[in-house]
Amino acid sequence: MRNILVTGAAGFIGSSLSRRLMEQGDNVTGLDNINDYYDVNLKYSRLNLLEGNKNFKLVKGDLEDKVLVEKLFKDKDRKSTRLNSSHTDISRMPSSA
């Protein structure tokens, strides 16, 4: 059983990934700021489905909050971490060349 952090857990991809990981027996901490980029009721509906699983924990917050993210990694031994964010700015990522 792995402890996995999924960002954007209330979104389509994040909630689907979280569900799939829990089906495999993993513990998932879902990080989401639940912004109003689109209908928050849809986000809460997805979260309600996830929160029914004992292997899911929601942390309401922002990935840009350095203190929060450091706390999340200190709280649990995360041997495997998958990050998902539909708002990742790939132009700021280093090139592979």
Side-chain angles (χ1 to χ4, degrees):
M1 179 176 347
R2 300 174 297 175
N3 295 313
I4 301 177
L5 172 66
V6 175
T7 64
F12 175 74
I13 295 171
S15 63
S16 298
L17 175 61
S18 296
R19 183 180 44 79
R20 180 70 183 259
L21 291 168
M22 289 185 295
E23 286 172 358
Q24 296 176 168
D26 295 315
N27 293 316
V28 174
T29 299
L31 175 65
D32 205 299
N33 64 2
I34 313 173
N35 62 29
D36 61 356
Y37 183 71
Y38 62 89
D39 186 4
V40 295
N41 292 319
L42 181 55
K43 293 179 181 189
Y44 281 115
S45 179
R46 290 183 184 131
L47 288 172
N48 284 335
L49 294 173
L50 295 173
E51 289 180 317
N53 189 308
K54 66 180 177 68
N55 293 343
F56 182 78
K57 175 186 172 189
L58 173 66
V59 175
K60 187 173 178 185
D62 198 301
L63 184 59
E64 294 180 6
D65 182 342
K66 182 179 177 182
V67 173
L68 174 62
V69 172
E70 287 176 351
K71 181 181 182 320
L72 288 173
F73 279 91
K74 285 180 184 175
D75 284 349
K76 292 207 176 203
D77 175 27
R78 296 207 188 289
K79 294 179 182 170
S80 177
T81 303
R82 297 181 187 185
L83 298 176
N84 165 58
S85 178
S86 59
H87 302 291
T88 301
D89 183 357
I90 60 171
S91 67
R92 295 174 36 189
M93 294 178 142
S95 68
S96 59

